[in-house]
């Protein structure tokens, strides 16, 4: 390209494994928050009455459903939960793929010079992971603490950009073929050990 634009995202980079952990913890924290929020509505008439009385239970559930802040928090948490499974699976898959490639090629990912490796894409993967985590945190907690505007967009956009950036890495990881590497490295595939 005659004109190349470079953006520095080193401040946001994180590995796929750490990103998967952050996404999981964020989803779990969101679930705990919603459980506490629902419980606070159920216990508003007292613990025993709120739990044991069917009429009080229904009335308190109705209060929760009518509360605007509770609706926003519920929608944000459900959206976060919707993405968390997909993101954790993709990020853990990439984490394992990168670790396997590192074990075969060495810590500097020096494999066959012609092969496209995940190591060559490491900066892109780490930037994408950082964007996904940032987007998930902003999307969930921004809406819960402040409201939907502007946090649906401010959280959703980095998450989408990060997911888009992971597509080439996922393609490389899933299309991996031992024949892409030189014979010297092909023999290493047979000796890879998986820790128990």
């Amino acid at each position: 390209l005659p004109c190349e634009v470079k953006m520095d995202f080193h401040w946001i980079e994180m590995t796929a494994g750490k990103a998967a952990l952050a996404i999981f913890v964020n989803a779990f924290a969101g679930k705990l928050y919603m459980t506490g929020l629902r419980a606070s509505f159920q216990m508003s008439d007292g613990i025993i009455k709120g739990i044991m009385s069917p009429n009080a239970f229904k009335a308190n559930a109705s209060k929760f459903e009518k509360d605007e802040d509770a609706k926003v928090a519920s929608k944000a948490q459900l959206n976060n939960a919707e993405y968390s499974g997909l993101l954790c699976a993709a990020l853990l898959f990439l984490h394992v793929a990168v670790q396997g490639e590192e074990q075969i090629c060495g810590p500097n990912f020096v494999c066959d010079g012609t092969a496209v490796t995940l190591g060559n894409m490491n900066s892109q993967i780490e930037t994408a992971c950082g964007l996904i985590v940032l987007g998930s945190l902003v999307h969930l907690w921004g809406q819960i603490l402040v409201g939907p505007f502007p946090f649906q967009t401010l959280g959703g956009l980095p998450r989408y950009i990060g997911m888009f950036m992971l597509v080439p890495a996922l393609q490389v990881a899933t299309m991996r073929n031992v024949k892409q590497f030189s014979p010297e490295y092909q023999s290493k595939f047979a000796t890879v050990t998986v820790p128990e």
Side-chain angles (χ1 to χ4, degrees), residues 93-102 105 108-109 111 115-126 166-176 180-181:
F93 173 73
L94 276 177
H95 174 71
V96 169
V98 168
Q99 296 302 311
E101 188 175 272
E102 185 175 336
C105 302
N108 296 322
F109 295 96
C111 289
V116 175
T117 64
L118 292 171
N120 297 341
M121 305 175 83
N122 208 28
S123 181
Q124 178 180 341
I125 293 169
E126 289 181 354
L166 284 184
V167 170
L170 288 167
Q171 182 182 10
V172 168
T174 56
M175 304 303 269
R176 177 65 65 223
Q180 289 178 322
F181 296 103

Side-chain angles (χ1 to χ4, degrees), residues 15-129:
T15 64
K18 289 178 182 174
L21 177 63
I23 294 293
F24 177 82
V25 169
N26 186 45
F28 184 60
K31 289 187 178 300
L32 286 176
Y33 176 81
M34 287 307 299
T35 300
L37 187 61
R38 277 196 180 274
S40 71
F41 275 88
Q42 293 298 345
M43 307 300 177
S44 63
D45 292 334
I47 293 176
I48 302 299
K49 188 176 179 184
I51 295 173
M52 302 305 267
S53 168
N55 292 335
F57 189 84
K58 286 179 186 176
N60 291 334
S62 178
K63 285 181 200 173
F64 178 83
E65 291 167 3
K66 290 177 184 171
D67 187 85
E68 286 302 316
D69 290 338
K71 281 183 189 178
V72 168
S74 180
K75 286 179 182 180
Q77 188 269 326
L78 287 171
N79 182 274
N80 186 61
E82 184 181 311
Y83 278 90
S84 294
L86 167 76
L87 292 172
C88 279
L91 293 169
L92 288 172
F93 173 73
L94 276 177
H95 174 71
V96 169
V98 168
Q99 296 302 311
E101 188 175 272
E102 185 175 336
Q103 189 174 5
I104 293 162
C105 302
N108 296 322
F109 295 96
V110 181
C111 289
D112 190 351
T114 60
V116 175
T117 64
L118 292 171
N120 297 341
M121 305 175 83
N122 208 28
S123 181
Q124 178 180 341
I125 293 169
E126 289 181 354
T127 300
C129 291

Side-chain angles (χ1 to χ4, degrees), residues 11-12 14 23 26 76 79-80 83 87 127-143 150-163:
W11 59 272
I12 199 170
M14 74 173 30
I23 294 293
N26 186 45
N79 182 274
N80 186 61
Y83 278 90
L87 292 172
T127 300
C129 291
L131 286 170
I132 288 169
V133 170
L134 176 69
S136 294
L137 290 168
V138 168
H139 193 273
L140 176 63
W141 297 107
Q143 289 188 74
F151 294 102
Q152 284 179 331
T153 305
L154 290 177
L157 194 58
R159 194 163 56 180
Y160 280 127
I161 292 170
M163 290 170 69

